[in-house]
Amino acid sequence: MLISEFAKATGLTQDTIRFYIGKGLLKPRRSEKGGSNAYQIFNEDDVTAARMIRLQQSLGYTLREISALNDEYRKGMRSPKRTAQIMRTQIGKLEEKQAQVENALAFLRDKLQWIEAGKPGDTPRLNDYYC
Amino acid sequence: MLISEFAKATGLTQDTIRFYIGKGLLKPRRSEKGGSNAYQIFNEDDVTAARMIRLQQSLGYTLREISALNDEYRKGMRSPKRTAQIMRTQIGKLEEKQAQVENALAFLRDKLQWIEAGKPGDTPRLNDYYC
DNA sequence: CTTGACCCTGGAGTATGGTCCAGACCCATA
DNA sequence: TATGGGTCTGGACCATACTCCAGGGTCAAG
């Protein structure tokens, strides 16, 4: 897959893709021919990686963090134990994020209740849910 | 509460607080005296607002989005119906975010299973979970 | 009314995450 | 081998979200 097709498959622009490659977030292989300007060739794993990057980004992770995680993941590729460990760390982080979302939702739902019920008690405070 | 105490209460720097005020994200009242350089005075609601900003930011919202939401919220303050409607919209957005986190978690958990089980089937693809 | 701790404004600087070219290169087709 | 559509590199430029002053104002205590 060349860059234009990859761009369509992922919804990223070619510039963004090249930017990510420059940052080491994507590592497509290169065709042998063509010397220093050889075309970059993407596969399905690159598509998955790109989606994962977008997802992580929408959850508030910086490219630096995402890159660090992916690098570590790549480094541990040979040892399944190490890979599993990294994945558990990542799952742990996402579970934290999940807890944050749930806390915010609890706060908003309480406040909505409070508004709709015509203020019987004290207004809910975020402090009680997010420390 | 003056800015130094507010900074301690929220974990923000004074510069960041002034930056947020400039963007309209926080609207503390001002002491009457002091003319154009009057001190800014914060209350508990400002602390809650600041925490909410940080929370929303950690979930990937831009200051522009957060500001728009808060403005709308303030505008609707007088009508409980409007306020409730805005809150339901916000809750809906957070539920989307929640779904994203859950999809990512499902993907990672499946992949972890796959790694630990010694590759009996195909590697899970993010496509199946995040469209 | 002076001193010292704290506060304000405006503007310049920084890091991140892109976006937009110009100029050159790749390569299948005619 | 010429041509045209696609690709590559390097560098300038932009918005966002801060961060760091300088120069000056505020105010309670002595």
Side-chain angles (χ1 to χ4, degrees), chain B residues 57-126:
Chain B
Q57 228 183 355
S58 84
L59 297 177
Y61 295 106
T62 65
L63 293 188
R64 186 180 298 275
E65 291 169 319
I66 296 167
S67 180
L69 206 69
N70 290 9
D71 283 358
E72 212 178 355
Y73 183 73
R74 275 201 205 85
K75 261 192 282 178
M77 278 295 264
R78 281 159 205 162
S79 146
K81 271 195 184 168
R82 181 93 189 91
T83 307
Q85 192 194 325
I86 292 163
M87 295 200 67
R88 268 190 289 267
T89 307
Q90 198 174 0
I91 288 170
K93 280 188 190 172
L94 271 180
E95 280 167 347
E96 257 181 58
K97 189 91 16 184
Q98 191 180 33
Q100 277 184 8
V101 176
E102 265 151 27
N103 287 340
L105 275 171
F107 170 69
L108 289 175
R109 286 190 182 125
D110 269 23
K111 192 135 187 174
L112 183 58
Q113 275 284 319
W114 179 79
I115 288 166
E116 288 184 328
K119 309 170 189 181
D122 249 5
T123 169
R125 294 216 170 271
L126 191 52

Side-chain angles (χ1 to χ4, degrees), chain A residues 66-123:
Chain A
I66 296 168
S67 179
L69 206 68
N70 291 7
D71 283 359
E72 212 179 355
Y73 184 74
R74 275 204 203 83
K75 262 192 282 178
M77 279 294 265
R78 279 158 207 163
S79 145
K81 272 196 185 167
R82 181 91 188 94
T83 307
Q85 191 193 327
I86 291 161
M87 296 200 65
R88 268 190 290 268
T89 307
Q90 199 175 354
I91 288 170
K93 280 187 190 171
L94 272 180
E95 279 167 349
E96 257 181 59
K97 187 94 16 184
Q98 191 179 33
Q100 278 183 9
V101 176
E102 266 151 28
N103 288 339
L105 274 171
F107 168 70
L108 289 175
R109 286 187 183 126
D110 269 24
K111 193 136 187 175
L112 183 59
Q113 275 285 319
W114 178 81
I115 287 166
E116 289 183 329
K119 311 168 188 181
D122 248 2
T123 170

Side-chain angles (χ1 to χ4, degrees), chain A:
Chain A
M1 201 191 300
L2 293 188
I3 197 168
S4 60
E5 199 183 335
F6 185 66
K8 269 183 205 154
T10 59
L12 303 176
T13 68
Q14 297 192 13
D15 275 325
T16 300
I17 294 163
R18 292 203 183 93
F19 178 73
Y20 286 175
I21 293 168
K23 292 262 167 184
L25 280 159
L26 292 172
K27 309 198 173 177
R29 73 178 185 81
R30 295 203 147 198
S31 72
E32 282 87 38
K33 301 164 107 182
S36 77
N37 281 20
Y39 286 10
Q40 293 163 127
I41 297 164
F42 303 82
N43 59 29
E44 279 305 314
D45 284 343
D46 292 321
V47 175
T48 301
R51 279 168 199 250
M52 199 68 205
I53 290 167
R54 279 316 215 198
L55 179 53
Q56 291 180 92
Q57 227 182 356
S58 84
L59 297 178
Y61 295 106
T62 66
L63 294 186
R64 186 180 295 276
E65 288 169 321
I66 296 168
S67 179
L69 206 68
N70 291 7
D71 283 359
E72 212 179 355
Y73 184 74
R74 275 204 203 83
K75 262 192 282 178
M77 279 294 265
R78 279 158 207 163
S79 145
K81 272 196 185 167
R82 181 91 188 94
T83 307
Q85 191 193 327
I86 291 161
M87 296 200 65
R88 268 190 290 268
T89 307
Q90 199 175 354
I91 288 170
K93 280 187 190 171
L94 272 180
E95 279 167 349
E96 257 181 59
K97 187 94 16 184
Q98 191 179 33
Q100 278 183 9
V101 176
E102 266 151 28
N103 288 339
L105 274 171
F107 168 70
L108 289 175
R109 286 187 183 126
D110 269 24
K111 193 136 187 175
L112 183 59
Q113 275 285 319
W114 178 81
I115 287 166
E116 289 183 329
K119 311 168 188 181
D122 248 2
T123 170
R125 294 214 170 272
L126 191 55
N127 315 29
D128 301 338
Y129 302 95
Y130 177 67
C131 68

Side-chain angles (χ1 to χ4, degrees), chain B residues 15-16 19-20 34 37 39 54 57 62-64:
Chain B
D15 275 324
T16 300
F19 178 73
Y20 285 174
N37 280 21
Y39 286 11
R54 279 319 216 194
Q57 228 183 355
T62 65
L63 293 188
R64 186 180 298 275

